[in-house]
Amino acid sequence: MKFCGECGAGVTLRVPAGDRLPRYVCDACGWVHYVNPRLVVGCVPQLDGGILLCRRSIEPRRGYWTIPAGYMETGETLQEAAARESMEEAHARVRIGKLLAIAHLLNAEEVHVVFRAQLESAEFGIGAESQEVALYPLHAIPWHEIAFSSVAFALRCLVDDTAAGHEQYHFTTFDARLPSGERLDWRYRPPVGYGAGRKR
């Protein structure tokens, strides 16, 4: 940020009085501009034991598989955002279920929220940000072609919960600024007994 959104004057990155973190502070009017994490919301649509994945047609990670997800809009709930993204990216109508996973991406200044969901029908298609949309059985998830660590984490949680016969919600933290670029307390691996890299 270079200029104040209130008066247009230049800003300086400094710790305001009474604060503990650096903020962009206007040199003229003193307005403090807070930069807060953005919410990315998505879901894992399920139907007859399969999950709906989208192959990305845009960067980052073009050509890799992900779940329907995107930035939450002002004026909508988390569940509404997840359902909207499913329609936009996969032309899929879904019923949003329980919370599945929350991942904090410290380096990206984002929080990723993923819900369980049920496809209302077997009708889906290719949205504007997808080049392919497909149902994958849990044993054939293309683990080494998953676009993002937060998505791999959510899918791993779904697979583990399904195998255990219960539904839980899960939390994790990633920070690509670390030397390994890995999750702080978890290292991604395909579930034992599941076909890494195999498609339907």
Side-chain angles (χ1 to χ4, degrees), residues 1-14 16 19 21-36:
M1 178 179 290
K2 295 182 178 180
F3 303 102
C4 177
E6 293 295 308
C7 72
V11 296
T12 302
L13 187 63
R14 65 175 184 268
D19 206 333
L21 296 173
R23 316 286 186 184
Y24 289 103
V25 182
C26 179
D27 299 326
C29 71
W31 188 267
V32 180
H33 297 270
Y34 294 92
V35 179
N36 302 111

Side-chain angles (χ1 to χ4, degrees), residues 60-180:
R61 305 293 282 168
R62 185 178 186 274
Y64 284 78
W65 292 94
T66 188
I67 59 174
Y71 291 110
M72 183 178 179
E73 299 283 4
T74 300
E76 65 184 359
T77 66
L78 291 167
Q79 292 91 334
E80 288 169 344
R84 173 182 53 77
E85 289 292 340
S86 290
M87 179 56 66
E88 290 179 359
E89 296 185 5
H91 296 170
R93 296 188 181 278
V94 297
R95 293 191 305 275
I96 300 299
K98 295 180 180 179
L99 178 65
L100 172 61
I102 294 178
H104 304 93
L105 279 69
L106 300 185
N107 56 289
E109 300 176 347
E110 295 175 351
V111 178
H112 293 191
V113 180
V114 180
F115 290 93
R116 304 168 192 272
Q118 288 293 321
L119 281 165
E120 292 186 353
S121 72
E123 296 181 3
F124 53 85
I126 298 173
E129 297 181 3
S130 304
Q131 58 182 254
E132 185 180 353
V133 179
L135 276 174
Y136 277 90
L138 292 183
H139 69 267
I141 293 172
W143 291 105
H144 297 292
E145 298 178 57
I146 297 299
F148 306 109
S149 296
S150 59
V151 173
F153 171 71
L155 294 177
R156 174 63 189 270
C157 292
L158 178 69
V159 169
D160 288 350
D161 284 0
T162 301
H166 55 62
E167 294 183 351
Q168 299 187 95
Y169 50 87
H170 308 266
F171 298 86
T172 193
T173 301
F174 293 93
D175 192 347
R177 298 169 298 184
L178 296 176
S180 66

